[in-house]
Amino acid sequence: MTTETQRRPMAFVREPASDEDMARANHYALISRLFHAAPDGTLLDTLAASGDWPVDGDAPSAEAMLMARAWNALCAASSAMDAAAAQDEFDALFGGVGRPQVVPFASFHLAGFVNEKPLARLRDDLAALGLQRAAGESDPEDHIAALADVMRLLLTDTTRSEADRAAAQDRFFATHIEPWYGALIDALDAAPEANFYRRAGQYLRCFLDIENAARQIEA
């Protein structure tokens, strides 16, 4: 949907993805969709009907509470937003002539400009994974939507063993997402045009914070 397609030949399934990894992959897929293009009416309606995230357990963690609140806030914002307004907000934040209000590319936040050394390193790593930018996609591969899509692919790539999948995810996240996602979300929080996407940014932050904490615990 965003930027990457697999180039490796088909292989037999080695180990199926766990339910937890499929759930994580679904979050990455939604993040990719939200930041690649404005949500259409169908997506807004789906999110609006998906609120009230339950928090399981008698003593839920702080991370779980924050994630539930962020998700419910995103769903509430979806119920109050129509597709035309979402498109206007998306264009105001990420489009326009010159530098947009919010720059969704890793190179900008890591090196100060787009198309810099972080993008070159990313392309090398994507090639090693057998991935490349999809035909017809104009955005550089270090767009947050593209990086989320790569994580989705790594979580569901059953041609690799579970251990290999986990190692690839950890390396990719640590190198290409963790160093800059906070700066992106800070920019969204500060953008005067952000309304729906401020809620999307809070959801993004909570999910990636959980991903980052889990990665560090398992390291």
Side-chain angles (χ1 to χ4, degrees):
M1 173 174 41
T2 53
T3 64
E4 273 68 34
T5 56
Q6 290 180 299
R7 293 185 297 177
R8 286 184 290 107
M10 294 294 291
F12 291 109
V13 172
R14 297 179 65 181
E15 297 180 46
S18 67
D19 290 345
E20 178 184 351
D21 281 355
M22 291 303 300
R24 291 169 58 209
N26 287 337
H27 280 293
Y28 278 114
L30 176 58
I31 289 165
S32 180
R33 173 62 184 84
L34 286 172
F35 286 92
H36 183 249
D40 58 17
T42 299
L43 179 56
L44 289 170
D45 289 345
T46 300
L47 288 171
S50 302
D52 297 325
W53 180 315
V55 180
D56 297 327
D58 295 330
S61 67
E63 292 83 0
M65 290 292 294
L66 289 172
M67 183 66 183
R69 290 171 185 166
W71 174 259
N72 292 335
L74 175 63
C75 294
S78 299
S79 68
M81 178 69 67
D82 61 47
Q87 185 67 63
D88 288 344
E89 182 177 335
F90 185 90
D91 292 342
L93 291 172
F94 304 112
V97 178
R99 198 179 91 183
Q101 284 190 47
V102 179
V103 182
F105 301 106
S107 287
F108 175 83
H109 295 279
L110 295 175
F113 299 94
V114 297
N115 297 316
E116 287 292 324
K117 288 182 179 180
L119 177 58
R121 181 178 182 184
L122 171 63
R123 285 173 172 164
D124 288 342
D125 289 347
L126 291 175
L129 290 168
L131 302 173
Q132 65 179 357
R133 185 165 60 180
E137 179 60 57
S138 60
D139 284 332
E141 295 90 328
D142 61 343
H143 193 294
I144 186 61
L147 300 180
D149 208 33
V150 173
M151 288 295 293
R152 176 187 66 82
L153 289 171
L154 294 177
L155 279 157
T156 58
D157 180 7
T158 54
T159 66
R160 303 174 191 269
S161 70
E162 183 178 2
D164 286 348
R165 287 199 303 267
Q169 294 162 40
D170 287 349
R171 287 193 300 269
F172 192 87
F173 188 98
T175 303
H176 300 295
I177 297 178
E178 190 277 331
W180 73 283
Y181 76 80
L184 169 65
I185 300 163
D186 288 345
L188 267 175
D189 284 342
E193 300 286 347
N195 180 10
F196 174 85
Y197 272 94
R198 185 171 289 114
R199 306 297 182 270
Q202 291 165 358
Y203 159 64
L204 175 63
R205 188 192 300 275
C206 287
F207 176 69
L208 294 184
D209 281 351
I210 290 172
E211 289 282 280
N212 194 36
R215 182 183 62 83
Q216 293 177 2
I217 290 171
E218 293 168 1

